[in-house]
Amino acid sequence: MAKQLDLNHGFYYSFLNNAQKKTYDTLLTHMRQFETEFAIDPVSTADYLIANRAVLDDHPELWWADTPARYSFNLVGKVTKHQFLQLTGKEKQITAAMANAIQEILAQARQLDSDWKKALLFHDYIVSKTKFNTGRDSDGYLDQNISSVFMGGNSVCAGYARAFMLLCRSVGIECIYVSGPATKRGNTIRHAWNMAYIDGNWTWIDCTWDDLILENGVESCEHDYFCLNDTWISKEHPIPSVLETGNDQARLSISFPKASSLKMEFHRLAGTYFEKYDANQVLASVQQQAPGGKVRLRFGSAQALAQAIQGVVIDHNLVNQSQLRITKDDIMCVLRIDRR
């Protein structure tokens, strides 16, 4: 169950050296006050950049602070000042407006009896509320932070993941913002997702990739990336070992907790997971789900998925039924059948 969290120091803080921790605390104190310019004790450029990245990734509530900034040096080359360059003066006002919207979903979560149900509520809320923004900041809110989710409803992966982290930590669920390369359909991209400690187990969650566009802009809230273990998430999301800052000379070595359990994986709890293809069991699941117009099946291997496609789709001639939309994911071993 949820626990009392240290809201001053998040996951990345624990990997910092003493100089970086001191800078982290200074940055956090001033950023919380919405200060646009402030002094810091002299520190190396690398330590400053690492501390700054750690603060921003540990604290999604500092949504406005992940914007262009200038840092100044003293005569011996140490960083002594941080100055934001593009703040609008509306940051406090937007923060207050977001707080009202956030409290509504948090109130719903506090009525639930498990961290898993709360995390699922947050996941579905973010996915259903937010459209993935292929243009940049088209609604006036920065796509890399939570304002684009809670205020704009258009975001990119960073916004999805930071919003999920904020909601989880607000109800005592430890949650980590994770960024690094990921591969989708053979293309490697820079991506962001989450790791969360839910009901006694570390697990991986990717809200962005569960916001699926089926066709012609039709969106669907999926659960293929909800509560995966290391093996499953690593199929497309290599687990990072370094926190990047954008500067090759300022990189922080990190290590994530092991996520070995699959007992909370969504399809397993929903009864739509099949380790192997069993025609009777799979067809029974299809028949049970079909009245809702949405069938979802996950399998333990690509081979089992292929058998299901043959047994469910091909043998029953579903591909020629124009009222059905059939999609699959060979990597995540998922078959989807939707009524148009």
Side-chain angles (χ1 to χ4, degrees):
M1 292 296 292
K3 61 180 181 179
Q4 186 67 37
L5 303 180
D6 180 356
L7 298 181
N8 291 317
H9 302 132
F11 174 75
Y12 295 109
Y13 179 86
S14 64
F15 296 96
L16 303 180
N17 62 34
N18 289 337
Q20 293 162 357
K21 287 181 177 178
K22 184 176 181 180
T23 304
Y24 178 113
D25 288 335
T26 299
L27 291 169
L28 179 61
T29 297
H30 290 286
M31 288 176 178
R32 281 177 167 171
Q33 299 301 315
F34 296 90
E35 296 182 36
T36 58
E37 182 178 342
F38 50 86
I40 59 176
D41 288 343
V43 66
S44 72
T45 301
D47 285 343
Y48 162 81
L49 292 173
I50 289 170
N52 186 61
R53 186 74 265 155
V55 168
L56 297 177
D57 286 1
D58 278 345
H59 295 277
E61 72 277 10
L62 299 175
W63 60 273
W64 56 273
D66 198 3
T67 53
R70 176 188 297 127
Y71 48 98
S72 303
F73 302 91
N74 63 14
L75 292 177
V76 295
K78 298 290 186 178
V79 178
T80 58
K81 187 171 73 171
H82 179 103
Q83 180 183 8
F84 289 108
L85 301 177
Q86 296 182 4
L87 300 188
T88 66
K90 297 181 179 179
E91 287 74 28
K92 287 185 179 181
Q93 179 183 349
I94 295 174
T95 297
M98 277 196 292
N100 291 331
I102 291 169
Q103 285 307 313
E104 293 181 12
I105 189 66
L106 293 180
Q108 295 178 44
R110 293 186 178 107
Q111 302 303 311
L112 301 176
D113 60 5
S114 74
D115 290 348
W116 188 89
K117 291 178 182 177
K118 294 173 185 178
L120 180 63
L121 174 69
F122 297 152
H123 169 281
D124 290 1
Y125 171 82
I126 291 169
V127 171
S128 299
K129 176 181 174 59
T130 313
K131 290 183 178 296
F132 188 84
N133 196 0
T134 53
R136 288 305 310 275
D137 307 331
S138 58
D139 54 13
Y141 297 100
L142 298 177
D143 286 344
Q144 298 295 320
N145 66 54
I146 62 173
S147 68
S148 60
V149 172
F150 295 117
M151 299 298 288
N154 293 276
S155 193
V156 294
C157 58
Y160 283 72
R162 293 186 190 282
F164 183 76
M165 177 184 176
L166 177 71
L167 292 176
C168 283
R169 286 179 60 83
S170 295
V171 296
I173 299 174
E174 186 60 89
C175 188
I176 304 167
Y177 175 85
V178 184
S179 63
T183 302
K184 195 69 171 176
R185 302 182 187 90
N187 298 315
T188 299
I189 59 174
R190 188 75 184 175
H191 191 47
W193 62 101
N194 296 101
M195 190 178 207
Y197 189 70
I198 298 175
D199 294 331
N201 294 277
W202 283 103
T203 186
W204 297 96
I205 297 167
D206 188 339
C207 295
T208 310
W209 283 6
D210 272 339
D211 193 354
L212 188 66
I213 299 178
L214 298 176
E215 64 176 20
N216 300 325
V218 176
E219 291 190 81
S220 178
C221 178
E222 302 295 329
H223 300 91
D224 302 334
Y225 297 92
F226 189 77
C227 291
L228 300 182
N229 65 2
D230 291 340
T231 300
W232 276 87
I233 198 67
S234 295
K235 290 174 180 286
E236 297 174 308
H237 305 62
I239 299 173
S241 59
V242 173
L243 178 65
E244 303 282 358
T245 67
N247 184 321
D248 289 340
Q249 304 304 312
R251 304 167 80 239
L252 179 68
S253 294
I254 55 176
S255 60
F256 289 93
K258 296 296 182 183
S260 57
S261 175
L262 279 171
K263 69 179 184 179
M264 295 183 298
E265 191 269 325
F266 180 87
H267 289 280
R268 284 165 172 77
L269 291 185
T272 54
Y273 173 82
F274 302 90
E275 185 65 29
K276 298 180 180 179
Y277 176 67
D278 181 294
N280 292 332
Q281 292 181 1
V282 170
L283 288 173
S285 181
V286 171
Q287 292 169 359
Q288 182 180 17
Q289 297 181 63
K294 181 175 180 178
V295 174
R296 296 294 182 268
L297 303 167
R298 165 170 264 161
F299 297 91
S301 66
Q303 179 184 11
L305 171 62
Q307 291 174 322
I309 292 171
Q310 180 65 47
V312 175
V313 178
I314 306 301
D315 291 352
H316 290 80
N317 198 32
L318 299 187
V319 290
N320 293 322
Q321 297 187 28
S322 60
Q323 75 274 22
L324 297 179
R325 180 192 301 110
I326 300 170
T327 57
K328 64 171 183 169
D329 187 325
D330 291 320
I331 302 299
M332 302 309 288
C333 304
V334 173
L335 174 63
R336 311 180 191 95
I337 304 172
D338 291 273
R339 187 184 303 131
R340 296 181 188 273

